[in-house]
Amino acid sequence: MQNIAQPQPVLDQLPNRRPKAACTLGIVGGGQLAKMITQSALQFGCEVVVLERNDHSPAATLARETVIGDWDNPESLLRLGSMVDVVTLENEFVDADSLAALEKFGHRLWPSSATIRLVQDKLLQKQALEKAGLPLPKFKAVSEKNEILEAAKEFGWPLVLKKRRNGYDGKGNFTLRATTDVDEAWRQLGGDSNGLYVEAFCPFTMELAIMITRSQTGEMANYPLVETVQHNHICHVVKAPAIVPAGIAARAVEIARKAVETVGGVGSIGVELFLGRDGQVLVNEMAPRVHNSGHYSIEGCVCSQFENHVRAVMGWPLGSTAMLAPAAVMVNLLGSGKGSGAPQGIDKALAIPGAHIHVYGKSVSVPGRKMGHVTALGKTMEEALGISRRAAELIEFGEVA
Amino acid sequence: MQNIAQPQPVLDQLPNRRPKAACTLGIVGGGQLAKMITQSALQFGCEVVVLERNDHSPAATLARETVIGDWDNPESLLRLGSMVDVVTLENEFVDADSLAALEKFGHRLWPSSATIRLVQDKLLQKQALEKAGLPLPKFKAVSEKNEILEAAKEFGWPLVLKKRRNGYDGKGNFTLRATTDVDEAWRQLGGDSNGLYVEAFCPFTMELAIMITRSQTGEMANYPLVETVQHNHICHVVKAPAIVPAGIAARAVEIARKAVETVGGVGSIGVELFLGRDGQVLVNEMAPRVHNSGHYSIEGCVCSQFENHVRAVMGWPLGSTAMLAPAAVMVNLLGSGKGSGAPQGIDKALAIPGAHIHVYGKSVSVPGRKMGHVTALGKTMEEALGISRRAAELIEFGEVA
């Protein structure tokens, strides 16, 4: 620049202190989902306070502050509420009564405690979705072993016995192939103390998912239908968009939107679906939060699921969910051994052009634990898959057995 | 997911403490450039420590820690160095001897103190670039007023008198149109105490800039040539790519790469250029750091200037600088009044589809201060310009006069 000198801004005449942020967001939980929500909030000049059991969670470094406490403790939640403009959460396993107390004391919570109450109990969730006319695998509450055998008569084998609460990544599920499996399933899932239900096994040809962001006034922005590929019950690969006939994709979007409306979700909400052998789309289950199947949207869409979540819970307009490339693939980075949460091989993986590498910054690696992910865009699914897989194979967490 | 239940990861058997991060990066300065470098570092699971004069800088919330101290104090710099793997900086106005002390004590610093020493003194910078055969406006050191008049005989009027150090956003420059301006220019720029030089006025038709990231082993990744539009000597709008004949763009890239090599830059380095009326490309000046003209790359390119800066200073491979759309426009959000650093109107601006809004989180707004920016991509420059301008017009900082 060339021209006449300008006076320096008169900063010294103004109070020099921590700014009043555009907003302060409280997040119940400090894991990788909270970290990625925080990254979006920080872009808008918002600040974040997380509630976690320790001060070294993935989100802790980015957060202005960590409230150390238990998610289910109403006092901890109220302390968080008093420090922020809006509270949201990164997991649905928070006691709904404690969340309701937060609302009772006038704190804004999105999604609401009513939504969390409905979704966190998979039996209540499925009953609500069935009542709304949505297609689901057949299911039935079971309070004693005998009822499993009754369901078998009605649904046939195999059957899936599931915990009503706190199941994720295949934990809390047991597939029964015959009467002889009932005792072991009941024991493993703690049927005498945990609420369980049983579901007809769905012989799906593809597992699908859709992220939807819903605003406080009911507008919805849906991301494309994606295919999720699981190994050992943990999501390994997400392909966006799912390669299915247009009619099926449209039907899946319609179902997912109605499911989110049914539970009154606000924020980014995940809907997992099965594509049956007959081309039927069934709801598997919902996650009332940002979701692993939407991580590709950070690089793959105009606005990520995280940015749209922040917009929704702050009461701001939703952004575009359009994809920036014909295909995007996300591959999870799972701990291969027990050890440090710092990655090995990141320098090699960064040499793969187009690989977007995310490391969550967890303290500790455990086999199968989600430690990071890689996303790649492509003109074709093959291209995106090739890039993301090649990069993911080069990164390792923990000592390798 | 449905299948046999898996045991919980044995997290409880492992030490539960702050992780060893993939890397720890130290940044001298905690402004918006440090904030955006930090956002990229965090994605890789790195942690950041900033050195700033207070604990509420834009980067402070994201950083693991702020070392409160003066940039030019070798003790503060050494304290920062002892806490991190690599030190980098967000501005070039740091005493080069203090930076050299950091290297002397074995700390890694990129760009090096030698690069900073050369670039922070614009006279030395220009002498080095001239020696390397790069095209520049004519310039000359002046140690007394009389030498300005001698330069005027040689270069003609108008002339630009500039401070050798600490000039930015038009501060530290004075355009002289006749002999009668000399006294006022000398007084305003403090010619008796500051090193000054004089430059031939360049009647440019366009101001251009290029970001280049250079690795520690000398590889370079260059971003596209962009046009920068200034008002009142502050960059308001950046258009990527600059709409110029291909031959001019190629020449500009060649010049910028040679300039970065000449100063031995490592990390993301900005090169500002003039496009003369005769189609000649001249170097205006360099910034040995990430630069306002490269902010569009966050959404506009595969890897942003910030991500590539982190890759370069960590010694990792550089990423692709390819654009994700035919056009990207960035519009700065400047303080319109004196007051809070929190934005007004962000909810309205977020309703403009495709507007990516960044708020830096500064304590205080002052007229003309850079408070944030908006980026939009487009199939055409007009589309990107329309979206980013419309959104930017809706956001205001500080009380409006």
Side-chain angles (χ1 to χ4, degrees):
Chain A
M1 277 305 307
Q2 45 187 6
N3 226 305
I4 291 172
Q6 289 248 310
Q8 284 275 349
V10 283
L11 284 177
D12 298 341
Q13 299 166 27
L14 285 155
N16 195 15
R17 51 173 162 70
R18 178 179 284 284
K20 169 89 184 73
C23 62
T24 306
L25 182 62
I27 307 179
V28 182
Q32 70 265 25
L33 301 180
K35 177 183 174 182
M36 291 184 276
I37 293 170
T38 302
Q39 282 172 312
S40 283
L42 287 166
Q43 181 185 315
F44 292 138
C46 298
E47 293 187 330
V48 169
V49 180
V50 300
L51 170 61
E52 250 297 357
R53 284 161 295 192
N54 61 56
D55 66 351
H56 51 269
S57 64
T61 309
L62 294 76
R64 193 186 73 201
E65 210 169 319
T66 295
V67 173
I68 296 176
D70 197 302
W71 302 328
D72 292 338
N73 182 341
E75 273 185 54
S76 301
L77 285 170
L78 286 170
R79 188 154 160 241
L80 177 69
S82 71
M83 294 167 73
V84 302
D85 299 314
V86 183
V87 177
T88 188
L89 20 81
E90 66 148 9
N91 84 61
E92 61 275 31
F93 307 133
V94 182
D95 180 64
D97 288 334
S98 301
L99 290 172
L102 200 56
E103 290 166 328
K104 217 169 186 171
F105 279 84
H107 299 297
R108 288 192 283 161
L109 172 74
W110 298 114
S112 70
S113 67
T115 297
I116 298 297
R117 191 185 300 279
L118 202 54
V119 178
Q120 70 182 184
D121 183 327
K122 287 186 202 165
L123 183 65
L124 294 184
Q125 180 195 130
K126 277 161 197 264
Q127 285 168 342
L129 297 176
E130 186 179 50
K131 206 176 148 194
L134 289 164
L136 301 159
K138 289 176 196 156
F139 65 93
K140 199 170 216 169
V142 290
S143 52
E144 48 173 336
K145 286 185 210 170
N146 203 35
E147 291 172 332
I148 301 174
L149 299 175
E150 280 169 31
K153 278 181 211 150
E154 204 180 326
F155 304 161
W157 300 102
L159 273 181
V160 189
L161 188 65
K162 295 187 174 184
K163 279 189 190 171
R164 288 173 61 171
R165 290 165 171 273
N166 300 336
Y168 72 101
D169 287 352
K171 294 169 189 83
N173 292 358
F174 196 115
T175 302
L176 304 99
R177 309 207 169 261
T179 310
T180 47
D181 289 339
V182 170
D183 282 347
E184 178 60 12
W186 192 262
R187 195 190 58 74
Q188 275 207 18
L189 299 184
D192 292 335
S193 48
N194 293 321
L196 302 181
Y197 70 103
V198 74
E199 209 173 79
F201 185 89
C202 177
F204 57 81
T205 59
M206 205 184 263
E207 288 188 82
L208 302 167
I210 300 188
M211 291 308 305
I212 290 183
T213 311
R214 188 164 174 268
S215 77
Q216 294 167 33
T217 48
E219 290 103 322
M220 285 189 279
N222 67 272
Y223 288 85
L225 179 70
V226 302
E227 179 184 354
T228 61
V229 184
Q230 339 275 331
H231 297 298
N232 296 322
H233 333 296
I234 297 176
C235 169
H236 267 228
V237 174
V238 171
K239 300 181 196 175
I243 298 170
V244 294
I248 286 176
R251 174 85 183 116
V253 168
E254 192 192 326
I255 290 169
R257 290 173 72 102
K258 190 154 184 197
V260 170
E261 270 184 336
T262 300
V263 303
V266 168
S268 290
I269 311 271
V271 184
E272 297 179 20
L273 304 149
F274 291 129
L275 178 59
R277 286 191 190 140
D278 51 0
Q280 225 204 333
V281 176
L282 302 178
V283 178
N284 175 12
E285 58 185 55
M286 299 182 71
R289 51 167 168 83
V290 292
H291 190 253
N292 198 168
S293 71
H295 293 358
Y296 76 91
S297 64
I298 295 176
E299 291 88 6
C301 298
V302 175
C303 277
S304 74
Q305 63 165 345
F306 302 102
E307 176 171 339
N308 258 337
H309 185 73
V310 173
R311 288 175 180 237
V313 303
M314 292 308 303
W316 293 337
L318 303 182
S320 164
T321 58
M323 284 187 69
L324 294 169
V329 171
M330 186 231 53
V331 178
N332 274 335
L333 299 173
L334 305 178
S336 47
K338 217 195 287 182
S340 158
Q344 289 159 25
I346 190 170
D347 50 333
K348 290 182 195 78
L350 285 168
I352 311 283
H356 297 281
I357 297 170
H358 295 255
V359 175
Y360 300 148
K362 294 188 179 179
S363 314
V364 164
S365 166
V366 168
R369 193 179 195 199
K370 290 174 184 168
M371 304 303 293
H373 73 264
V374 179
T375 297
L377 310 188
K379 288 198 184 97
T380 63
M381 193 63 77
E382 288 62 42
E383 189 193 355
L385 197 55
I387 296 168
S388 50
R389 277 217 174 121
R390 249 181 301 146
E393 277 165 12
L394 293 166
I395 302 175
E396 220 130 21
F397 290 89
E399 294 164 56
V400 187
Chain B
M1 277 306 306
Q2 45 187 7
N3 226 304
I4 291 171
Q6 290 246 313
Q8 284 275 351
V10 283
L11 283 177
D12 298 342
Q13 300 166 26
L14 285 157
N16 197 16
R17 51 171 163 71
R18 176 180 284 286
K20 169 88 185 73
C23 63
T24 307
L25 183 63
I27 307 178
V28 182
Q32 69 266 26
L33 301 180
K35 178 183 174 183
M36 291 184 276
I37 293 170
T38 303
Q39 282 172 311
S40 283
L42 288 166
Q43 181 186 314
F44 292 138
C46 299
E47 294 187 330
V48 169
V49 180
V50 299
L51 170 61
E52 249 299 355
R53 283 159 298 193
N54 61 57
D55 67 352
H56 51 270
S57 64
T61 309
L62 293 76
R64 192 187 75 202
E65 208 167 322
T66 295
V67 173
I68 297 176
D70 196 303
W71 303 327
D72 291 339
N73 181 339
E75 272 185 55
S76 302
L77 284 170
L78 286 170
R79 191 158 156 237
L80 177 69
S82 71
M83 295 167 72
V84 302
D85 299 314
V86 183
V87 177
T88 188
L89 19 82
E90 67 149 7
N91 84 60
E92 62 275 32
F93 307 133
V94 182
D95 180 65
D97 288 333
S98 301
L99 290 172
L102 199 56
E103 291 166 328
K104 216 169 187 171
F105 278 84
H107 299 296
R108 287 193 285 162
L109 172 74
W110 299 113
S112 70
S113 66
T115 298
I116 298 298
R117 190 185 300 278
L118 202 55
V119 178
Q120 71 182 182
D121 183 326
K122 288 186 202 167
L123 183 64
L124 294 185
Q125 180 195 129
K126 278 162 196 264
Q127 286 169 340
L129 297 176
E130 188 179 49
K131 205 175 148 195
L134 290 164
L136 302 159
K138 289 175 196 157
F139 65 92
K140 199 171 214 168
V142 290
S143 51
E144 47 173 337
K145 287 186 209 171
N146 203 36
E147 291 171 332
I148 301 175
L149 299 174
E150 280 168 29
K153 276 181 213 151
E154 203 180 325
F155 305 160
W157 300 101
L159 272 183
V160 189
L161 189 65
K162 295 188 175 184
K163 280 190 190 171
R164 289 173 60 171
R165 288 163 173 273
N166 300 335
Y168 72 101
D169 288 352
K171 295 171 190 80
N173 292 359
F174 196 114
T175 302
L176 303 99
R177 309 206 169 262
T179 309
T180 47
D181 289 339
V182 170
D183 281 348
E184 177 60 12
W186 191 262
R187 195 190 59 74
Q188 275 207 20
L189 299 185
D192 291 335
S193 48
N194 293 321
L196 302 181
Y197 69 103
V198 74
E199 207 173 81
F201 185 89
C202 177
F204 57 82
T205 58
M206 204 184 266
E207 287 189 81
L208 302 168
I210 300 188
M211 291 307 305
I212 290 183
T213 311
R214 186 162 175 271
S215 76
Q216 293 167 32
T217 47
E219 288 103 324
M220 285 190 277
N222 67 272
Y223 288 85
L225 179 70
V226 302
E227 179 185 354
T228 61
V229 183
Q230 339 273 331
H231 296 299
N232 295 323
H233 332 298
I234 297 175
C235 170
H236 267 227
V237 175
V238 171
K239 300 182 195 175
I243 298 171
V244 294
I248 286 176
R251 174 87 182 116
V253 168
E254 191 192 327
I255 289 169
R257 290 173 72 102
K258 189 155 182 194
V260 170
E261 271 186 334
T262 299
V263 302
V266 169
S268 289
I269 312 273
V271 183
E272 298 179 18
L273 304 150
F274 292 130
L275 177 60
R277 286 191 190 140
D278 50 1
Q280 225 204 332
V281 177
L282 302 178
V283 178
N284 175 11
E285 57 185 56
M286 300 181 72
R289 53 168 167 82
V290 293
H291 189 253
N292 198 167
S293 70
H295 292 359
Y296 76 92
S297 64
I298 296 176
E299 291 89 6
C301 298
V302 175
C303 277
S304 74
Q305 63 165 344
F306 302 102
E307 176 172 338
N308 258 336
H309 185 73
V310 173
R311 288 175 180 236
V313 303
M314 293 307 303
W316 293 337
L318 303 182
S320 165
T321 58
M323 284 186 70
L324 293 169
V329 171
M330 187 233 50
V331 178
N332 274 335
L333 299 173
L334 305 178
S336 48
K338 218 195 286 184
S340 158
Q344 288 160 27
I346 190 169
D347 51 334
K348 290 183 194 78
L350 285 168
I352 310 284
H356 297 281
I357 296 172
H358 295 253
V359 175
Y360 300 148
K362 294 188 179 180
S363 314
V364 165
S365 165
V366 168
R369 193 179 195 199
K370 291 174 182 168
M371 303 302 292
H373 74 264
V374 179
T375 297
L377 310 187
K379 288 198 183 96
T380 63
M381 193 63 77
E382 289 61 41
E383 189 193 354
L385 197 55
I387 296 168
S388 50
R389 277 219 174 118
R390 251 182 300 146
E393 276 164 13
L394 292 166
I395 302 176
E396 220 131 20
F397 291 88
E399 294 163 57
V400 187

